[in-house]
Amino acid sequence: MDFVNQLQRKFIDYSSSLHREGIVDDQFTQLRKLEDENSPHFVMEVASLFFEDCEKLINNMAIALEQKQGVDFKQIDECIHQLKGSSSSIGAMRVKNACIAFRSFSGAQNREGCLRCLQQLSHEYSLLKNKLQTLFRVSVASRCLYVCLVIFCRENEPAEPFPDVLVFQLEKQIVAAGGSIPRVH
Amino acid sequence: YLGGAFDVESLVENLLGQLAGNQAILVNVYDVTNSSDHLIMYGHQNQDGDLALLHESKLDFGDPFRKHTMICRYHQKAPTSWTALTTAFLFFVICLLVGYILYGAAIHIVKVEDDFHEMQELKVRAEAADVAKSQFLATVSHEIRTPMNGILGMLALLLDTDLSSTQRDYAQTAQVCGKALITLINEVLDRAKIEAGKLQMETVPFDLRSILDDVLSLFSEKSRNKGVELAVFVSDKVPEMVMGDPGRFRQIITNLVGNSVKFTERGHIFVKVHLAENSKPMAEAKAETCLNGGSDEGVLVSSAHQFKTLSGYEAADERNSWDSFKYLVADEESRYNASINMPLAGETSQNVTLMVSVEDTGIGIPLIAQDRVFMPFMQADSSTSRNYGGTGIGLSITKCLVELMGGHISFVSRPQVGSTFSFTAAFGRCKKASFSDTKKSNTEDLPSSFQGLKAIVVDGKPNGHVFKLPKMILLATNITNAELEKAKAAGFSDTTIMKPVRASMVAACLQQVLGIGKKRQAGKDMLNGSLVLRSLLYRKKILVVDDNMVNRRVAAGALKKFGAAVECADSGKAALKLLQIPHYFDACFMDIQMPEMDGFEATRRIRKMESQANEQINGGSIDEESARKGKWHVPILAMTADVIHATYDECLKCGMDGYVSKPF
């Protein structure tokens, strides 16, 4: 079970680092709390929607800023507004802050500033995407591993409680599959 | 001094003859001064007689220079003593025999001891083999379970992803098979555990009614599809909480009800829970009705609605008919009223014995198979497994569990009529103090504001208590969604509950229809905010309007968590379409900043629609449905990121009821 403990610790460290670095904020935690047996992949789904949305908006803004004839700042403003809304819904703090900064430049109709901001925004978005995808990969992998290990090492229970949502999901899955959750007597 | 002449030889012979008795003795006297040359002084020259036995004795004539010796011997050889020989021989033989017997006995003892040691060893090995067999079985089952769980876990994950319908179908079939396999393995393991005597009963407080509720919900889908009525009745005298093993009790009920569901195609499945003491007068009541010519119900017509049972179909055990049920309930009530001041003997004791019966109108058990029913791996017929599935272990495990609970299980079954399984079980009474420790179940408790309300249950077969209620709630066994909507739209009923009737469903339904929520004290509200939210939002239809997909998803997710039914719209126009009168939405969350038509504009238009509809109601045609609905005003709440006073004023101006801040 030592391995599982390590895995847990890694997971906890990783997710707390996301909070520490300001990549996600409390809204993300709230979203994670919404996961239960009825919607076990809620956060992943919302995140994928956000990635799609964000990429589309960034592309649109890039195209708009490339225009030789004249940059349509109104459109850019709208895109930023959208992005700000969705990033705050998912709790992507740094992306949201980048949007706020971007807004001031687009309001001032400063093309150079906008380009710089767009680059910053892309950077923040890539960072967020990487981190979240790693998080999901770890959670899925550890989910499978936990199922196997918990059943194999039936005498021992992990020392620290597993991240709340995953424990809940896994227990429900195990019970639903007809197994039983080992209890230390 | 007298001198005489004696013939010494003849004198000695006579003397010796006298002395010798029967035998003639020959005496020889020798002068043995010269040891090599014996001089015969007296006696015959020839040495005859029995030379074997010689008696030699010294003679002293007083002559210092000469030595004499006398040798006596028998004249005749002693004849062989046959008696002695025979005795000796016989004695010898007897000794031999005795020796042989003792030897034989000793050998036997040694052999028996050896056998004994061998048997002991073999016994130990046999026991070890038995234990090993059980362990092997358990281990193998466990080992099978592990990858099986892995498979099922993966299948569950797979089913959560996007699949085409064929793929989904395949995955679901695999999942069903896997679950069946897991159930089988669990049953086998249970049997092994029971055999090894390792099955232990927990003693924790639990709520009987909620377990029955759960089991009912497990089978509600299946029974609904088959058109079979499923109901549970728990007598009032059964305490709320009892001490026992909830898992095993659930297993027993699931097994019995599962069997009933499997083998019943028409009619009903009725589960009853009483106190065991009350079942005695029930038996007496049955005897009475039988004596009083109650056999008019014995007419063997298999068509429905002839018999006073739950579904109208005949049930195997006449004792459970409506008459005895009425009698039982009345009896319980009268007893309760009488004993309010006097505690009954049973109530002060530590244990409460319950009697549970599961009655169904299925195919029954053929008479030949009835005595084999509780044996493991026995099914009524070799074709049963093929036609109905299952392995036949369930009832034997159930029997063991019931007996472990200190009860007894029996059944009454008539082929083609149905079966009624009954069992008793002993539980401990729960002290009031331990109530606070128990975990509250997820389902809400019926709010206390329902107490004192009365409701009528209208049923073609009047088998229920009598309550009165102005709102109409339709209880449906088997109804499609379209029929449901039609019923609602026609004003036939305010809402519908699908049978089997469960406490949680009734609570939610009544709340929805009557608008009665949980009335908590202000202080207690904060203790469990989510419970309050759940009671507010449960089964409410909410509309979420936002042009951004992420925001819609997050809002919908948050609302669905508390049990609301959420629909999404991506623009003001779509919202308008959905909120056309009449609609069934309880509330609407509207984003303010949307392209084309923003939140304010949409709300203004919606309020205009509503005021038009309201005028129609007040002024002209009094429509049945609208009158029932009252004034049209759907609560609209704005979703906005910047919560400044100006925005709030603007919201109120266009008719919104409030706002919530973003992020949701």
Side-chain angles (χ1 to χ4, degrees):
Chain A
M1 280 326 256
D2 201 35
F3 183 67
V4 180
N5 289 343
Q6 282 181 28
L7 198 63
Q8 290 174 45
R9 236 171 282 132
K10 246 199 172 108
F11 186 90
I12 295 169
D13 287 342
Y14 197 76
S15 58
S16 52
S17 77
L18 285 180
H19 285 268
R20 257 202 320 272
E21 291 169 25
I23 297 178
V24 295
D25 62 15
D26 191 50
Q27 175 71 1
F28 187 69
T29 320
Q30 296 291 326
L31 286 186
R32 278 178 63 184
K33 283 196 188 154
L34 288 180
E35 277 190 342
D36 61 9
E37 73 264 32
N38 295 324
S39 51
H41 306 288
F42 180 63
V43 181
M44 258 195 264
E45 286 169 14
V46 174
S48 343
L49 284 174
F50 174 68
F51 295 149
E52 267 180 53
D53 197 39
C54 196
E55 278 170 28
K56 189 179 68 171
L57 289 168
I58 289 179
N59 273 337
N60 289 347
M61 284 195 277
I63 292 171
L65 282 172
E66 291 301 313
Q67 298 296 330
K68 297 296 180 195
Q69 297 89 321
V71 181
D72 186 0
F73 283 104
K74 194 157 164 287
Q75 190 197 11
I76 293 178
D77 206 50
E78 259 178 48
C79 289
I80 297 176
H81 173 74
Q82 288 270 318
L83 195 54
K84 179 160 162 280
S86 39
S87 61
S88 78
S89 286
I90 198 178
M93 196 164 79
R94 274 161 77 150
V95 173
K96 183 181 78 174
N97 292 339
C99 288
I100 296 174
F102 200 152
R103 224 207 186 133
S104 57
F105 283 107
S106 81
Q109 306 218 342
N110 182 340
R111 187 164 173 276
E112 293 304 321
C114 286
L115 278 169
R116 255 181 294 132
C117 277
L118 185 64
Q119 216 173 31
Q120 173 75 0
L121 190 63
S122 293
H123 169 74
E124 291 299 339
Y125 165 71
S126 315
L127 185 65
L128 175 75
K129 186 167 179 186
N130 268 332
K131 294 275 182 178
L132 283 186
Q133 278 182 341
T134 313
L135 195 72
F136 294 141
R137 242 178 275 131
V138 169
S139 88
V140 169
S142 61
R143 197 179 299 180
C144 310
L145 201 63
Y146 191 64
V147 168
C148 305
L149 282 176
V150 158
I151 294 173
F152 268 115
C153 311
R154 46 194 177 274
E155 299 88 44
N156 313 319
E157 242 188 33
E160 298 120 40
F162 214 63
D164 43 8
V165 167
L166 284 184
V167 168
F168 182 73
Q169 285 174 355
L170 288 167
E171 284 192 350
K172 288 294 171 196
Q173 279 179 353
I174 292 170
V175 167
S180 60
I181 310 296
R183 295 270 173 257
V184 178
H185 291 294
Chain B
Y1 180 78
L2 185 70
F6 295 98
D7 186 6
V8 178
E9 280 190 47
S10 54
L11 180 70
V12 170
E13 264 175 274
N14 278 330
L15 263 170
L16 288 175
Q18 279 181 13
L19 288 170
N22 299 334
Q23 300 269 358
I25 295 177
L26 294 172
V27 178
N28 281 40
V29 178
Y30 296 99
D31 183 336
V32 290
T33 318
N34 195 353
S35 49
S36 54
D37 183 25
H38 293 184
L39 301 168
I40 295 190
M41 307 279 343
Y42 172 81
H44 286 287
Q45 192 75 293
N46 50 331
Q47 300 260 327
D48 56 2
D50 191 1
L51 289 159
L53 289 163
L54 289 174
H55 183 76
E56 203 175 315
S57 58
K58 270 203 154 100
L59 281 180
D60 187 10
F61 286 128
D63 190 350
F65 300 111
R66 303 209 78 87
K67 277 196 226 148
H68 294 95
T69 170
M70 182 169 77
I71 296 182
C72 299
R73 62 185 183 283
Y74 280 112
H75 186 49
Q76 285 142 357
K77 276 207 175 81
T80 42
S81 168
W82 285 111
T83 3
L85 266 176
T86 326
T87 321
F89 179 72
L90 282 175
F91 184 68
F92 174 68
V93 166
I94 286 172
C95 280
L96 257 181
L97 284 173
V98 168
Y100 182 73
I101 287 170
L102 286 175
Y103 172 74
I107 292 286
H108 188 65
I109 287 175
V110 167
K111 183 161 170 283
V112 163
E113 267 189 12
D114 278 345
D115 279 348
F116 169 71
H117 286 306
E118 211 183 299
M119 285 303 152
Q120 247 190 351
E121 210 185 283
L122 284 174
K123 173 180 177 243
V124 166
R125 273 163 57 187
E127 281 174 345
D130 186 44
V131 166
K133 169 207 97 181
S134 299
Q135 267 185 351
F136 165 75
L137 202 61
T139 315
V140 163
S141 306
H142 234 306
E143 299 308 323
I144 293 180
R145 246 191 354 194
T146 311
M148 220 37 243
N149 280 333
I151 293 176
L152 282 174
M154 288 303 125
L155 279 172
L157 287 177
L158 180 66
L159 282 167
D160 274 335
T161 62
D162 282 320
L163 298 171
S164 74
S165 51
T166 15
Q167 286 173 326
R168 186 164 286 275
D169 184 35
Y170 292 160
Q172 277 171 343
T173 314
Q175 199 181 42
V176 162
C177 294
K179 283 187 181 160
L181 195 59
I182 287 272
T183 317
L184 172 61
I185 291 172
N186 283 338
E187 286 186 340
V188 169
L189 271 179
D190 267 348
R191 260 235 76 79
K193 258 194 261 181
I194 289 173
E195 265 179 27
K198 287 227 192 79
L199 206 64
Q200 276 159 346
M201 290 283 165
E202 278 190 294
T203 313
V204 293
F206 68 95
D207 183 7
L208 263 172
R209 291 168 177 86
S210 77
I211 290 201
L212 289 167
D213 230 24
D214 285 340
V215 174
L216 224 60
S217 62
L218 209 63
F219 291 107
S220 61
E221 186 75 35
K222 248 198 230 167
S223 70
R224 205 183 308 144
N225 289 341
K226 281 188 165 184
V228 170
E229 292 218 22
L230 180 57
V232 165
F233 174 78
V234 182
S235 127
D236 284 329
K237 291 212 78 186
V238 173
E240 248 187 74
M241 296 286 210
V242 292
M243 299 279 279
D245 191 330
R248 298 297 171 188
F249 181 71
R250 178 198 296 256
Q251 208 176 346
I252 296 173
I253 299 281
T254 310
N255 180 252
L256 291 175
V257 176
N259 280 349
S260 292
V261 168
K262 230 197 288 185
F263 292 105
T264 308
E265 300 299 326
R266 50 128 175 101
H268 66 268
I269 298 169
F270 188 29
V271 181
K272 281 199 298 223
V273 183
H274 300 293
L275 290 184
E277 297 94 53
N278 294 341
S279 59
K280 281 194 220 114
M282 197 160 76
E284 290 160 20
K286 178 229 175 181
E288 279 177 34
T289 51
C290 264
L291 285 171
N292 296 342
S295 57
D296 49 328
E297 287 181 46
V299 176
L300 289 173
V301 184
S302 58
S303 66
H305 314 297
Q306 284 275 23
F307 300 96
K308 293 185 179 178
T309 57
L310 189 69
S311 66
Y313 284 92
E314 187 190 359
D317 194 353
E318 288 100 39
R319 288 182 297 175
N320 289 337
S321 72
W322 173 237
D323 290 328
S324 57
F325 188 70
K326 252 196 327 198
Y327 180 90
L328 181 69
V329 175
D331 184 57
E332 282 186 354
E333 281 178 9
S334 67
R335 272 200 188 191
Y336 185 65
N337 291 333
S339 72
I340 276 176
N341 295 322
M342 296 179 296
L344 274 176
E347 282 187 17
T348 50
S349 72
Q350 279 299 92
N351 287 340
V352 52
T353 313
L354 297 178
M355 164 139 143
V356 182
S357 71
V358 178
E359 169 191 282
D360 72 54
T361 54
I363 58 171
I365 305 175
L367 295 159
I368 8 159
Q370 284 198 3
D371 47 1
R372 285 186 290 153
V373 144
F374 289 115
M375 281 167 60
F377 297 108
M378 273 309 162
Q379 284 181 312
D381 196 86
S382 52
S383 65
T384 313
S385 171
R386 229 185 313 122
N387 293 339
Y388 296 97
T391 53
I393 315 182
L395 272 176
S396 77
I397 295 180
T398 304
K399 179 162 187 257
C400 287
L401 290 175
V402 165
E403 279 166 8
L404 277 172
M405 285 189 173
H408 179 72
I409 184 167
S410 63
F411 67 96
V412 173
S413 177
R414 280 156 57 188
Q416 303 310 320
V417 171
S419 322
T420 304
F421 277 79
S422 328
F423 70 93
T424 54
F427 297 101
R429 272 187 203 274
C430 215
K431 307 276 182 294
K432 292 276 183 190
S434 56
F435 272 23
S436 48
D437 298 336
T438 61
K439 247 195 320 184
K440 284 265 181 217
S441 59
N442 275 339
T443 59
E444 291 181 280
D445 300 328
L446 277 171
S448 55
S449 47
F450 289 152
Q451 282 181 357
L453 289 180
K454 293 205 227 165
I456 293 182
V457 176
V458 179
D459 195 342
K461 305 165 270 302
N463 289 345
H465 289 283
V466 174
F467 299 99
K468 232 188 347 170
L469 185 71
K471 301 264 182 185
M472 282 286 278
I473 299 177
L474 186 66
L475 291 172
T477 313
N478 199 334
I479 192 173
T480 62
N481 242 348
E483 287 179 319
L484 200 132
E485 292 303 321
K486 229 190 339 183
K488 269 202 199 164
F492 183 70
S493 69
D494 287 276
T495 184
T496 315
I497 303 181
M498 300 303 272
K499 282 202 258 196
V501 177
R502 288 157 50 211
S504 44
M505 280 311 223
V506 173
C509 225
L510 284 172
Q511 272 185 338
Q512 191 188 30
V513 163
L514 294 174
I516 297 178
K518 279 204 184 192
K519 296 208 167 55
R520 291 161 171 268
Q521 286 107 13
K524 287 193 186 163
D525 252 358
M526 299 306 128
L527 272 177
N528 205 341
S530 67
L531 217 63
V532 176
L533 269 173
R534 183 161 253 272
S535 65
L536 267 175
L537 289 170
Y538 190 63
R539 284 181 109 208
K540 294 284 197 294
K541 284 196 82 176
I542 315 259
L543 179 66
V544 170
V545 188
D546 194 320
D547 59 326
N548 185 292
M549 203 175 0
V550 177
N551 296 345
R552 283 203 297 274
R553 196 69 180 78
V554 169
L559 289 168
K560 277 184 192 156
K561 173 91 178 163
F562 297 104
V566 180
E567 248 195 76
C568 296
D570 63 356
S571 68
K573 273 208 193 131
L576 271 175
K577 242 187 269 177
L578 285 168
L579 287 174
Q580 289 284 340
I581 298 182
H583 65 79
Y584 292 96
F585 286 104
D586 297 292
C588 172
F589 286 93
M590 179 93 69
D591 182 29
I592 296 185
Q593 272 156 316
M594 290 188 286
E596 291 180 8
M597 194 196 298
D598 69 3
F600 297 130
E601 178 61 29
T603 312
R604 264 181 241 124
R605 293 210 189 164
I606 290 168
R607 293 301 180 218
K608 210 159 124 206
M609 260 198 315
E610 286 177 341
S611 58
Q612 279 173 355
N614 291 338
E615 272 166 32
Q616 273 186 351
I617 298 170
N618 293 338
S621 50
I622 306 218
D623 216 325
E624 277 286 318
E625 318 145 19
S626 326
R628 206 182 284 277
K629 287 290 177 186
K631 224 168 83 138
W632 282 99
H633 182 91
V634 60
I636 301 183
L637 297 157
M639 297 195 288
T640 169
D642 46 332
V643 185
I644 49 177
H645 215 66
T647 329
Y648 183 54
D649 285 339
E650 182 75 40
C651 290
L652 290 180
K653 239 199 292 180
C654 57
M656 291 191 175
D657 296 276
Y659 67 89
V660 298
S661 62
K662 274 192 182 175
F664 200 87

